[in-house]
């Protein structure tokens, strides 16, 4: 079967506009119908360790409820592979994001972000950053970030290390189902609108 015929068949099955072209609506519907039902990460927690360490857990609590199991799963999966990670960043309010944006521009310190409030994936509960540790020592740079990136992708997370514009190896996120193959820019615009309307982000 030709790709177009296949897409038409899928579109018919999903009950969306049949045009043979897989755009955001089609990918969104495919994701919603086929991928989304696996809402739990692909690995189960093992043993009695159902909570990440206290500091990581505080940050995990700032994520959307359906994103939290992914962060915990990555935390334990890394440790099972001999890599100590902690969650070092979770959700930031717009005001916190604006303060971070000001750093290195109008306030002291180095520039750490190009995103103003409402323009970061961290403003909507879908993104978190991890740090690799050697014992209690935080390692800002380590080849192990790539290994953790692979583990995160196995779980179904998007990894910032795959980004081409700004490579962000500590960063992981769970894309909302409706976002399909939207660019992050378009997704963020939609997330800002949902937030402005007071809607819960799914
Ligand atoms: Zn991040």
């Amino acid at each position: 079967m030709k790709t177009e015929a296949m897409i038409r068949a899928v579109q018919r099955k999903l009950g969306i506009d049949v045009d043979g072209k897989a755009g955001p609506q089609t990918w969104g519907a495919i994701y919603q119908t086929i991928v989304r039902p696996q809402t739990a990460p692909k690995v189960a927690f093992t043993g009695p360790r159902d909570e990440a360490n206290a500091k990581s857990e505080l940050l995990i609590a700032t994520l959307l409820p359906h994103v939290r199991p992914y962060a915990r799963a990555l935390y334990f999966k890394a440790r099972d592979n001999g890599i100590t990670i902690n969650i070092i960043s979770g959700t930031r309010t717009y005001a916190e994001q604006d303060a971070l944006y000001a750093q290195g521009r109008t306030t002291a310190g180095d520039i750490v972000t190009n995103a103003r409030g409402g323009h970061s994936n961290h403003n909507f509960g879908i993104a978190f950053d991890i740090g690799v540790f050697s014992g209690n020592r935080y390692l800002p740079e380590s080849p192990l970030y790539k290994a953790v990136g692979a583990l995160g992708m196995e779980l179904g997370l998007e990894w910032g290390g795959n980004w081409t514009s700004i490579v962000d190896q500590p960063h992981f996120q769970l894309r909302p189902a409706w976002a399909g193959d939207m660019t992050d820019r378009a997704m963020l615009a939609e997330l800002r609108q949902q937030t402005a309307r007071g809607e819960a982000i799914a």
Side-chain angles (χ1 to χ4, degrees):
M1 205 190 294
K2 287 263 161 51
T3 307
E4 192 186 319
M6 212 157 70
I7 292 167
R8 281 177 185 279
V10 168
Q11 288 174 332
R12 232 171 276 123
K13 182 103 177 161
L14 295 173
I16 56 176
D17 293 347
V18 177
D19 64 2
K21 295 182 190 70
Q25 199 200 1
T26 301
W27 288 119
I30 288 172
Y31 189 90
Q32 192 79 44
T33 312
I34 296 157
V35 184
R36 185 67 171 178
Q38 309 170 347
T39 44
K42 288 172 201 152
V43 296
F45 302 131
T46 51
R49 304 167 308 159
D50 53 0
E51 285 205 0
N53 78 14
K55 199 171 166 219
S56 291
E57 191 58 40
L58 281 176
L59 289 163
I60 290 170
T62 69
L63 303 173
L64 293 175
H66 70 277
V67 181
R68 293 173 199 161
Y70 285 84
R72 291 193 190 103
L74 185 60
Y75 174 96
F76 290 123
K77 196 171 160 81
R79 283 164 191 252
D80 285 345
N81 283 273
I83 306 168
T84 304
I85 67 163
N86 287 299
I87 313 301
I88 60 169
S89 185
T91 303
R92 298 190 277 270
T93 63
Y94 286 15
E96 286 165 344
Q97 187 69 38
D98 282 333
L100 207 60
Y101 182 81
Q103 189 182 314
R105 293 185 172 88
T106 53
T107 62
D110 296 328
I111 288 182
V112 289
T113 182
N114 289 320
R116 295 166 190 267
H119 292 257
S120 165
N121 295 307
H122 283 280
N123 299 149
F124 303 100
I126 61 170
F128 60 92
D129 298 331
I130 62 101
V132 171
F133 286 72
S134 171
N136 287 326
R137 193 162 55 92
Y138 166 60
L139 306 176
E141 309 256 342
S142 162
L144 293 174
Y145 282 93
K146 278 194 176 150
V148 181
L151 298 176
M153 287 189 290
E154 270 176 33
L155 291 173
L157 286 162
E158 281 186 274
W159 178 44
N162 285 329
W163 293 347
T164 45
S165 47
I166 303 170
V167 178
D168 191 358
Q169 291 191 348
H171 181 97
F172 293 87
Q173 64 186 35
L174 189 69
R175 174 169 284 258
W178 50 260
D181 63 349
M182 275 181 177
T183 61
D184 268 25
R185 196 186 178 86
M187 177 176 77
L188 285 167
E190 178 60 29
L191 285 166
R192 280 195 299 279
Q193 285 175 19
Q194 288 181 6
T195 303
R197 290 194 297 258
E199 291 170 15
I201 292 161

